[in-house]
Amino acid sequence: MCGIVGYIGDTVAAPVIFESLKKLEYRGYDSYGFATLHNNDFFVKKDKGKISDLEFENIPETLLGFMGVGHSRWATHGIPSEENSHPHLDCKGNFLVVHNGIIENYQELKNELKQRGHSFRSDTDTEIIPHLIENFAELGFEEAVKKAVGKLKGRYAIVALNRDSDKMIGVRRGSPLIVGVKNGVKDSDRREFFLASDIPAFLDHTNNVMYLDDEEMVVIDKNKRSIKFHNLERKEDVEKRLINIGWDAGQAEKNGFEHFMLKEIMEQKDTIMRALNQDVKSIESMADKINNAFGTFFTGCGTAGNVCLAGEYIFSKVAGKHINFIVSSEFPNYHHFLTDKTLLIAISQSGETADVLEAIEAAKKKRVKIMSLVNVMGSSLDRKSDYSFLIKAGPEKAVASTKAATSQLALITLLAYACAGKLNEGRRLLIETASKVNDMLNPRYEKHIRRLAEKIYKKDNMYIIGRSLNYPMALESAIKIQEVSYIHAQGFAGGELKHGPLALIDKGTPCIALIAEDEVKDDVISNAMEIKSRGGYIIGVAPENNEVFDYWIRVPDVGDASPIVNIIPVQILAYHLAVLRGCNPDYPKNLAKSVTVK
Ligand code: AGP
């Protein structure tokens, strides 16, 4: 996954692109590049490394012009290096492309292009695109791009420039690409345009957007300040609405916190409440659809997948309904069960995860109805769903998902109560939970968890156990700890310990027991005893202290909403483990925020 940016306007482009690109660094951070176009010349700067390590003063003044593109890379084809950084150019340096996604048939196309005499400088799949455009150059820039993308297989978004044109062209097929428009409709000859993989890239300038759909191309003309959308499949121009997305730039900044991850953990004081702020009629009508569907499935990946699994337990317990969770990358293997009466509930923060989108596409082929819980308005999942709920957590920038997860949990719990005909009871419980989260997230609480992190941060292994609603949170705790601190962490259902994992416990091995005041509490405590008697160091996340705990982190007793309050202290612990181990929790190695490749 990578971040791409394009700009056309009245401001010198390089600094605008530089700032926008920094906002997309969470999408990829092993190399960067930018290019401007001025007086029919390209000016390019690219290198390996993080854009945020590049000082503004080091951006060459030679990057002239009022239009340009930028790219932040997460390597898929070719190691991080200057040659493999984007943008990529054709043989004669007439066409330039930045790209997010994967071109599946690039090797075949590269061989063909080589036979035609094209020479390549990088190992990337991207580089074939400017060469393909070059191949059709005589048709003019727009037609050449159309022909070139017609040859590509895979999921991608690209932005292309031509040295001899004042147009910027973007194409979307499976990876996000959004247009930001500054100065609106009335003042059309002063309009400024942004093209980006995600909205925070241009939130400093505008929150008015136009969404490209898959198979669409956008052509922005710098001279005319015009914008045109074209559907490549139907071969016709399409009209787009300008939408105000309601986010502001402050929400996407650190606001005094050292890292986005901690800021986003603390935002849970408000975000859980915001997730509950849904139209009652829509919740009730969705509950009806769930109740009347013949076979309902959850799908999602990573943290959102763990929320789905928690949803499976919550629906079973609260509404007596069985909803199967299938991790999105495996979902296409379950197509045999799908009928036109099936309902698929897809959960995703970004709404752009490739595996989730593939899952819903496979389901749609069987005429399954899609309902989604998504954070990013206008994302692919939001727009491809038959029914969509926004969780309203605001931009989540840290790679580790925190506030989005608890908002998803809150909304899933609310839906389960609605299915059980107890919407008001569910709402009361969740409002109380949100207010208790507000009380939890104070500096003393954080310090208490930091002290624990100081005791265990040098350990190599950690285990987490839970049962029932808190088993999925044990899995989620493991993801949080692994991805930001790089400590090997594994989550188990408490009852599974004796079937193998107990062999891993040594003297002092930290084990977290996630406990709620529920019918499985005593079982989890006796699992913790089993670990302790093999030398394990027990961290109890529980409403009440217990003699088995070596370290107790108190959480409020909130009944069926316990996954929400139990995961929050582990998020804080994971954050401090990362910081103490010298890892940047916002940018874990080898990971990207939303995984738009298969
Ligand atoms: C969470 O901390 C992870 N970074 C990751 O597992 C993430 O939840 C997963 O990639 C799914 O993303 P999505 O919610 O945007 O679909």
Side-chain angles (χ1 to χ4, degrees):
M1 188 185 74
C2 306
I4 56 185
V5 168
Y7 171 74
I8 284 185
D10 296 318
T11 311
V12 176
V16 177
I17 294 165
F18 174 71
E19 289 304 327
S20 296
L21 215 46
K22 282 203 287 189
K23 308 265 166 48
L24 290 190
E25 194 163 34
Y26 71 92
R27 299 179 64 85
Y29 33 89
D30 56 42
S31 18
Y32 63 84
F34 35 117
T36 55
L37 175 58
H38 186 59
N39 287 343
N40 302 105
D41 253 326
F42 285 137
F43 302 89
V44 177
K45 159 118 186 132
K46 58 184 195 169
D47 212 340
K48 77 172 190 191
K50 292 171 75 173
I51 181 91
S52 52
D53 291 341
L54 175 71
E55 296 296 328
F56 180 72
E57 299 76 62
N58 293 337
I59 302 179
E61 281 170 14
T62 46
L63 284 168
L64 302 172
F66 300 90
M67 67 190 284
V69 294
H71 189 267
S72 186
R73 178 167 186 249
W74 184 71
T76 56
H77 296 67
I79 56 161
S81 67
E82 188 191 338
E83 298 71 42
N84 289 335
S85 308
H86 299 212
H88 291 282
L89 287 100
D90 65 320
C91 299
K92 298 194 198 105
N94 284 334
F95 300 99
L96 172 153
V97 169
V98 288
H99 158 229
N100 169 33
I102 287 187
I103 309 302
E104 287 164 7
N105 58 338
Y106 88 100
Q107 197 57 61
E108 182 189 320
L109 292 169
K110 192 168 179 173
N111 293 343
E112 271 176 37
L113 286 160
K114 273 185 177 167
Q115 274 171 11
R116 287 169 181 261
H118 291 259
S119 56
F120 291 82
R121 304 173 192 95
S122 79
D123 301 322
T124 63
D125 51 346
T126 307
E127 198 186 351
I128 58 147
I129 307 171
H131 287 276
L132 276 173
I133 301 174
E134 178 181 33
N135 217 31
F136 298 110
E138 71 212 24
L139 302 173
F141 185 30
E142 269 184 64
E143 288 308 311
V145 172
K146 282 183 196 165
K147 283 274 186 205
V149 295
K151 299 256 172 207
L152 306 179
K153 290 194 182 129
R155 307 176 75 88
Y156 56 85
I158 62 162
V159 179
L161 294 177
N162 173 8
R163 222 163 49 149
D164 301 319
S165 157
D166 275 323
K167 289 176 183 165
M168 178 178 289
I169 299 185
V171 177
R172 175 192 167 128
R173 185 176 284 155
S175 295
L177 193 61
I178 303 150
V179 181
V181 185
K182 188 175 171 184
N183 292 335
V185 188
K186 286 187 193 144
D187 207 0
S188 58
D189 35 317
R190 281 190 52 243
R191 281 196 288 188
E192 292 180 49
F193 296 98
F194 300 81
L195 261 172
S197 308
D198 199 359
I199 294 163
F202 51 73
L203 261 185
D204 277 347
H205 304 274
T206 182
N207 58 8
N208 290 321
V209 306
M210 288 167 145
Y211 291 106
L212 266 98
D213 283 303
D214 281 344
E215 305 302 333
E216 283 183 356
M217 171 167 135
V218 58
V219 182
I220 305 172
D221 187 314
K222 179 174 169 290
N223 289 340
K224 297 186 192 148
R225 293 298 161 100
S226 67
I227 183 160
K228 180 177 86 179
F229 292 85
H230 184 82
N231 186 298
L232 295 166
E233 264 179 355
R234 299 201 304 271
K235 298 188 179 9
E236 62 185 28
D237 289 352
V238 278
E239 291 293 319
K240 294 278 167 178
R241 272 191 316 130
L242 193 63
I243 298 169
N244 185 289
I245 44 114
W247 288 0
D248 66 58
Q251 286 179 298
E253 296 301 333
K254 286 189 202 151
N255 291 342
F257 285 91
E258 201 177 329
H259 297 104
F260 280 113
M261 183 176 175
L262 188 59
K263 177 206 166 211
E264 288 161 7
I265 290 172
M266 294 303 165
E267 279 180 336
Q268 292 172 112
K269 287 177 175 183
D270 303 316
T271 48
I272 296 168
M273 254 332 265
R274 285 213 299 269
L276 300 175
N277 186 11
Q278 303 286 341
D279 173 49
V280 173
K281 282 211 177 84
S282 310
I283 293 278
E284 283 173 342
S285 120
M286 263 338 294
D288 273 354
K289 295 207 164 63
I290 297 172
N291 281 335
N292 295 323
F294 187 72
T296 307
F297 294 86
F298 278 123
T299 197
C301 300
T303 291
N306 292 331
V307 171
C308 290
L309 186 59
E312 188 177 310
Y313 279 91
I314 293 166
F315 266 82
S316 167
K317 191 171 178 198
V318 173
K321 270 209 90 61
H322 181 60
I323 303 185
N324 257 311
F325 160 55
I326 299 167
V327 69
S328 301
S329 51
E330 287 299 317
F331 191 85
N333 303 324
Y334 280 81
H335 65 96
H336 312 96
F337 299 123
L338 307 176
T339 73
D340 58 0
K341 295 192 177 55
T342 312
L343 177 69
L344 177 61
I345 305 176
I347 303 186
S348 169
Q349 187 284 129
S350 61
E352 300 294 350
T353 301
D355 289 331
V356 178
L357 297 178
E358 286 232 342
I360 66 156
E361 272 152 29
K364 274 172 166 252
K365 283 194 185 126
K366 296 267 182 145
R367 300 188 18 237
V368 168
K369 288 273 183 267
I370 313 293
M371 169 188 159
S372 62
L373 268 64
V374 67
N375 191 32
V376 179
M377 181 189 185
S379 58
S380 301
L381 181 60
D382 182 27
R383 280 170 315 126
K384 286 179 177 179
S385 300
D386 299 289
Y387 327 101
S388 173
F389 284 103
L390 292 171
I391 60 163
K392 304 175 186 171
E396 190 180 68
K397 300 284 288 289
V399 167
S401 184
T402 54
K403 61 176 180 169
T406 50
S407 294
Q408 292 158 354
L409 283 167
L411 194 45
I412 276 295
T413 310
L414 190 69
L415 274 167
Y417 272 89
C419 282
K422 298 190 289 192
L423 179 57
N424 285 339
E425 190 185 321
R427 186 179 289 282
R428 271 198 303 277
L429 169 72
L430 289 158
I431 290 174
E432 188 195 325
T433 306
S435 117
K436 291 195 169 155
V437 167
N438 186 25
D439 297 342
M440 271 167 88
L441 288 170
N442 62 59
R444 247 191 28 215
Y445 196 72
E446 191 198 337
K447 220 166 165 187
H448 179 62
I449 299 173
R450 163 97 189 184
R451 270 201 296 273
L452 169 65
E454 282 162 2
K455 284 178 193 286
I456 60 172
Y457 78 96
K458 289 189 179 147
K459 298 282 181 187
D460 296 325
N461 297 298
M462 280 184 71
Y463 301 99
I464 308 99
I465 56 165
R467 282 177 181 246
S468 183
L469 303 186
N470 281 290
Y471 160 52
M473 292 304 102
L475 303 182
E476 172 55 12
S477 301
I479 288 199
K480 283 294 87 78
I481 294 166
Q482 285 162 11
E483 72 179 330
V484 298
S485 75
Y486 316 148
I487 295 174
H488 169 248
Q490 249 179 297
F492 300 105
E496 282 300 291
L497 271 176
K498 54 189 178 292
H499 299 293
L502 262 186
L504 300 168
I505 307 299
D506 287 318
K507 190 167 183 321
T509 307
C511 298
I512 303 176
L514 299 178
I515 294 168
E517 289 299 320
D518 59 11
E519 56 292 340
V520 296
K521 171 183 171 185
D522 293 342
D523 291 333
V524 188
I525 288 181
S526 57
N527 295 143
M529 297 269 191
E530 289 159 12
I531 299 172
K532 190 163 175 135
S533 44
R534 271 104 187 150
Y537 178 81
I538 306 295
I539 300 149
V541 172
E544 277 182 3
N545 202 353
N546 189 285
E547 59 185 5
V548 72
F549 301 157
D550 294 296
Y551 203 95
W552 175 42
I553 302 174
R554 184 203 288 265
V555 288
D557 173 12
V558 289
D560 296 329
S562 67
I564 297 175
V565 295
N566 280 4
I567 195 61
I568 291 175
V570 186
Q571 295 170 346
I572 300 173
L573 177 64
Y575 170 77
H576 283 293
L577 289 171
V579 172
L580 285 162
R581 288 166 69 92
C583 312
N584 182 340
D586 287 345
Y587 301 117
K589 70 173 192 292
N590 306 335
L591 296 181
K593 177 66 180 161
S594 55
V595 185
T596 55
V597 293
K598 257 170 84 177

